[in-house]
Amino acid sequence: MALRSNLKILTTCMLAVRRPVVLENSCSTHRKYIRTYTPNLTVQRTADLNSFVARTHTCGELCSAHVGQEVALYGWLQYQRHDLFVVLRDFHGLTQVILPQDEKCSQLRKMLSEASLESVVVVKGTVIRRPPGQDNPRMSTGEIEVLAKEAHILNTCKKLPFEIKDAVKKTEALRMQYRYLDIRSGQLQSNLRLRSKIVMKMREYLCNLHGFVDVETPTLFKRTPGGAKEFVVPTREPGKFYSLPQSPQQFKQLLIIGGLDRYFQIARCYRDEGSKPDRQPEFTQVDIEMSFVDQAGIQSLVEGMLRFSWPEEKGPLQAPFPVMSYADAMSSYGVDKPDTRFEMKIQDVTSQFREVQLGYVQETLRKPHGCVKAICIPGGAEVVPVILRADSSWKSPLEKFLSAKLKESLTEAMEAKSEDILLFAAGEHIRACSALGKLRLDAAAQLEEYGVPLRDPTAFHFLWVVDFPLFLPKEDNELELESAHHPFTAPHPEDTALLHTDPAKVRSQHYDLVLNGSEVGGGSIRIHNSNLQRWVLQDVLKEDVSLLSHLLEALQSGAPPHGGIALGLDRLIAIIVGAPSIRDVIAFPKSFRGRDLMSNAPDMVSAEDLQQYHIQVIPPCTESSGK
């Protein structure tokens, strides 16, 4: 109880009162906020970006209200124009600095005009108004310039591998090799700062408004059954290893069993998934768990948190978010994370094809769950395999098998118009829908390449997908089952009776949050009964329950009903800022192959160091030369 009280003191002492205070002589366009924490009170004030440092202003805040003031600016040389002026850059923006032309300032003029770009300098001078007609609306400081009176070069810069400009094209490998330079770019600075603001707002919403407790959980743990592969960490005990957790899943459940009631964490997670596109071996989750909650409660909490932390410039979010079952998502979109920004839904045309004399179609329809599905691609003649001509006739290898009446029926059912494409797939229900789901996304991408707008990049379509299967057949052995998500997910209350008779048909209390066709969150109501958890692990999944003996014992110790969710922070931020990759919203990401190109990690470890961990590296086997 003492531990719990101490943890809660850390959060409840920071209750926020949103009270903006505008400092004198500040420009409204540069108004920001800072929170001063006092017990049970937070006063929100304009952020003082110049506190504790030698500068008087940043390079992005000066405006006409500062004309006549003496200022000291610190930053990097961004641009030089002969010996007339230079542009100084820092994290906040750009300021044009005029070099005085009188003879007594020749040394200052020579120093700044000849210094290498990206040198770090301090400039002191007077803010003056730009001459009439020379304002630069593309710069936040475009109304003014600073007449230099004094300057010092704090550090010079060697020739860099690329210019620090967003417009300069750089390969991703080069950007990652020199990440400390890439971070200077305006876009990456903006992404990282927006990420920080959103995280702070999430903390405020969870801790200050809803009483959640921020708890850090261990990074060194033990192997978890099922799920993705885990990184292992050697120890000095022979043959014993830690594992880096895929998520704090077990710890957050244990915290709830411990009576903490409401937990959250900005958690670092690790998965050894090898070379997967747009994945990272280490990533960040907004991890949440609650006692005595149901699915609707978790969904309401997340919707409220996202609305509270959503950037104002992106427009308000509408809640509640739409909800779609897994079955409907697969039937209509062919994926469990549908992009609902555009239509092109999958239609069932099985009944129309029952009399079509095509061998593979008839063979498919005789099988269990056999069907024929179709999608209509508006204006898809550019993609080209059924094209509807302008005179409503068909151009397709299927045409000779389809009667005029059937073609008319299909055209009507699919609401096809001139120059549309109809794509058909015959097969088992899930496989046919999945094939068309992939074609739907590929077709959308190709149409957009041809200039047909389908997916609005400024729109944000959130969607809850629910009622997932609890178990799925294993890919390598369809007679065995594995968890569709993880083994701690509770079964749907309506399907409990099927657990012991037909577990493959049991739905789960899992829910995914989808944004613009990407999964940005997933969670579930958990199993809180020890016997049920043991049965799922041991009898259904055939897992070694000894690996989870601590959790099974905890569930016997008065575990409350509980549930939670984890939001993928990296992917969420990437979608908000329109970044093509999550690597563009992470300060120091790994490459496609999981390497740190800047430090060349992972790296070799000496045999002497490995000996402490009782490890010996065995060279890879080579094929016999035949001798």
Side-chain angles (χ1 to χ4, degrees):
M1 182 63 71
L3 173 62
R4 228 165 33 242
S5 299
N6 290 341
L7 288 170
K8 289 193 173 183
I9 287 173
L10 291 175
T11 55
T12 57
C13 71
M14 298 191 298
L15 296 176
V17 176
R18 299 178 56 80
R19 187 177 302 163
V21 178
V22 182
L23 298 183
E24 294 182 5
N25 297 325
S26 66
C27 299
S28 60
T29 54
H30 301 295
R31 184 176 302 175
K32 295 192 176 181
Y33 295 101
I34 193 169
R35 293 171 178 82
T36 304
Y37 289 102
T38 54
N40 297 324
L41 179 66
T42 298
V43 178
Q44 189 165 288
R45 298 179 179 175
T46 305
D48 184 0
L49 301 177
N50 306 303
S51 54
F52 316 117
V53 294
R55 65 172 178 254
T56 61
H57 299 80
T58 69
C59 293
E61 69 176 294
L62 295 176
C63 61
S64 56
H66 298 96
V67 170
Q69 293 187 17
E70 299 295 318
V71 297
L73 305 179
Y74 288 68
W76 288 263
L77 278 179
Q78 171 84 11
Y79 177 77
Q80 296 160 316
R81 180 62 182 266
H82 304 303
D83 59 353
L84 301 177
F85 68 86
V86 299
V87 174
L88 202 60
R89 184 198 75 246
D90 66 6
F91 69 96
H92 199 214
L94 304 169
T95 296
Q96 184 166 292
V97 176
I98 299 298
L99 305 182
Q101 298 300 305
D102 50 312
E103 186 60 30
K104 66 179 182 179
C105 296
S106 59
Q107 189 62 31
L108 181 152
R109 187 167 62 250
K110 177 180 173 63
M111 177 179 60
L112 290 180
S113 61
E114 294 182 359
S116 57
L117 293 180
E118 293 303 307
S119 292
V120 184
V121 302
V122 54
V123 173
K124 298 180 180 179
T126 306
V127 180
I128 59 176
R129 194 74 168 79
R130 289 199 183 201
Q134 294 188 21
D135 285 6
N136 186 348
R138 293 175 297 177
M139 293 174 62
S140 60
T141 59
E143 297 177 330
I144 60 89
E145 50 199 9
V146 172
L147 179 61
K149 292 183 176 179
E150 181 183 342
H152 303 280
I153 296 178
L154 303 178
N155 208 345
T156 58
C157 180
K158 67 174 186 177
K159 182 174 176 58
L160 300 180
F162 53 80
E163 290 185 82
I164 311 299
K165 293 180 180 178
D166 289 332
V168 175
K169 299 296 183 182
K170 307 172 281 286
T171 66
E172 186 171 52
L174 190 65
R175 291 176 56 203
M176 296 182 69
Q177 182 180 356
Y178 298 96
R179 192 62 168 184
Y180 49 89
L181 296 178
D182 195 38
I183 289 175
R184 294 182 190 176
S185 69
Q187 187 59 63
L188 193 49
Q189 284 268 333
S190 175
N191 292 351
L192 294 177
R193 292 178 186 280
L194 181 64
R195 176 180 177 135
S196 172
K197 290 178 182 178
I198 290 175
V199 168
M200 288 299 294
K201 293 287 286 183
M202 287 178 171
R203 289 184 185 277
E204 182 180 346
Y205 180 84
L206 292 170
C207 287
N208 296 354
L209 300 184
H210 294 285
F212 279 76
V213 185
D214 185 351
V215 181
E216 296 177 4
T217 54
T219 298
L220 296 176
F221 194 39
K222 65 185 297 183
R223 187 176 72 83
T224 302
K229 291 183 179 179
E230 298 171 334
F231 289 101
V232 295
V233 180
T235 71
R236 295 177 187 269
E237 294 187 60
K240 292 192 175 182
F241 297 82
Y242 288 112
S243 286
L244 301 183
Q246 304 171 37
S247 76
Q249 181 62 47
Q250 293 184 54
F251 289 114
K252 64 182 180 180
Q253 289 191 241
L254 293 168
L255 286 167
I256 294 302
I257 295 171
L260 205 63
D261 191 62
R262 296 185 170 203
Y263 145 93
F264 99 99
Q265 178 184 185
I266 306 299
R268 297 293 286 171
C269 306
Y270 309 88
R271 291 180 187 171
D272 187 6
E273 296 186 310
S275 301
K276 288 194 175 183
D278 209 24
R279 294 287 183 93
Q280 287 286 296
E282 52 182 330
F283 54 96
T284 307
Q285 289 183 174
V286 182
D287 208 47
I288 296 172
E289 198 81 4
M290 298 175 68
S291 304
F292 311 113
V293 70
D294 60 10
Q295 182 172 303
I298 293 291
Q299 291 172 351
S300 295
L301 169 76
V302 171
E303 290 171 6
M305 180 182 71
L306 288 172
R307 293 182 69 187
F308 186 84
S309 60
W310 197 253
E312 291 183 10
E313 63 271 20
K314 300 297 180 179
L317 291 181
Q318 300 300 318
F321 300 159
V323 179
M324 182 182 299
S325 71
Y326 168 83
D328 287 344
M330 294 302 299
S331 293
S332 297
Y333 297 94
V335 292
D336 59 5
K337 46 186 178 184
D339 189 341
T340 57
R341 288 176 295 172
F342 67 107
E343 289 293 324
M344 288 170 54
K345 291 184 180 180
I346 298 171
Q347 305 289 335
D348 187 280
V349 292
T350 303
S351 60
Q352 288 93 329
F353 272 83
R354 288 204 180 276
E355 304 303 322
V356 174
Q357 297 307 307
L358 275 171
Y360 70 88
V361 172
Q362 293 306 314
E363 183 182 353
T364 294
L365 296 182
R366 284 193 293 268
K367 294 179 180 179
H369 309 295
C371 61
V372 181
K373 302 288 186 177
I375 58 173
C376 177
I377 304 175
E382 293 282 4
V383 178
V384 164
V386 173
I387 302 175
L388 194 63
R389 298 190 180 102
D391 60 359
S392 296
S393 63
W394 285 37
K395 175 186 175 183
S396 168
L398 291 176
E399 184 175 7
K400 62 183 178 181
F401 299 101
L402 307 179
S403 66
K405 184 177 180 180
L406 179 54
K407 286 187 283 188
E408 183 180 349
S409 174
L410 288 170
T411 301
E412 183 179 346
M414 300 299 297
E415 299 182 356
K417 300 178 178 61
S418 174
E419 298 300 310
D420 288 357
I421 283 184
L422 300 182
L423 298 178
F424 297 92
E428 186 272 333
H429 172 72
I430 291 295
R431 291 185 177 180
C433 290
S434 297
L436 288 178
K438 293 177 181 177
L439 286 171
R440 174 180 179 267
L441 295 174
D442 289 344
Q446 289 191 43
L447 283 171
E448 288 175 339
E449 287 183 8
Y450 282 96
V452 179
L454 281 180
R455 297 172 291 190
D456 183 355
T458 65
F460 298 97
H461 285 214
F462 280 97
L463 171 73
W464 289 106
V465 179
V466 301
D467 293 345
F468 284 84
L470 186 59
F471 307 110
L472 292 173
K474 289 185 176 180
E475 289 187 6
D476 56 350
N477 184 356
E478 294 191 354
L479 297 179
E480 295 183 2
L481 297 176
E482 61 184 0
S483 295
H485 292 92
H486 60 61
F488 314 114
T489 302
H492 195 289
E494 296 177 4
D495 296 348
T496 304
L498 294 172
L499 269 175
H500 295 273
T501 59
D502 198 350
K505 292 184 178 179
V506 177
R507 293 170 296 166
S508 70
Q509 294 192 65
H510 181 92
Y511 31 84
D512 274 353
L513 182 60
V514 177
L515 172 58
N516 293 357
S518 292
E519 179 192 335
V520 294
S524 66
I525 302 303
R526 322 299 186 188
I527 296 173
H528 67 280
N529 178 280
S530 180
N531 292 334
L532 177 57
Q533 184 67 81
R534 181 183 296 273
W535 188 83
V536 167
L537 290 166
Q538 185 171 275
D539 295 85
V540 180
L541 302 176
K542 314 299 183 186
E543 295 284 1
D544 181 1
V545 295
S546 66
L547 293 171
L548 292 167
S549 58
H550 57 284
L551 179 62
L552 292 171
E553 185 175 353
L555 291 174
Q556 292 178 313
S557 307
H562 57 285
I565 194 169
L567 301 184
L569 183 64
D570 307 311
R571 194 169 304 282
L572 175 64
I573 302 299
I575 295 173
I576 291 174
V577 302
S581 166
I582 62 172
R583 290 185 283 273
D584 291 320
V585 297
I586 300 173
F588 296 100
K590 302 295 187 293
S591 71
F592 170 73
R593 299 190 179 279
R595 295 191 60 82
D596 179 353
L597 301 183
M598 183 178 63
S599 66
N600 199 31
D603 205 352
M604 299 295 292
V605 176
S606 70
E608 182 181 359
D609 288 338
L610 289 176
Q611 188 175 7
Q612 303 176 59
Y613 302 104
H614 313 282
I615 293 175
Q616 181 178 0
V617 177
I618 300 176
C621 296
T622 58
E623 294 187 11
S624 172
S625 61
K627 295 182 180 179

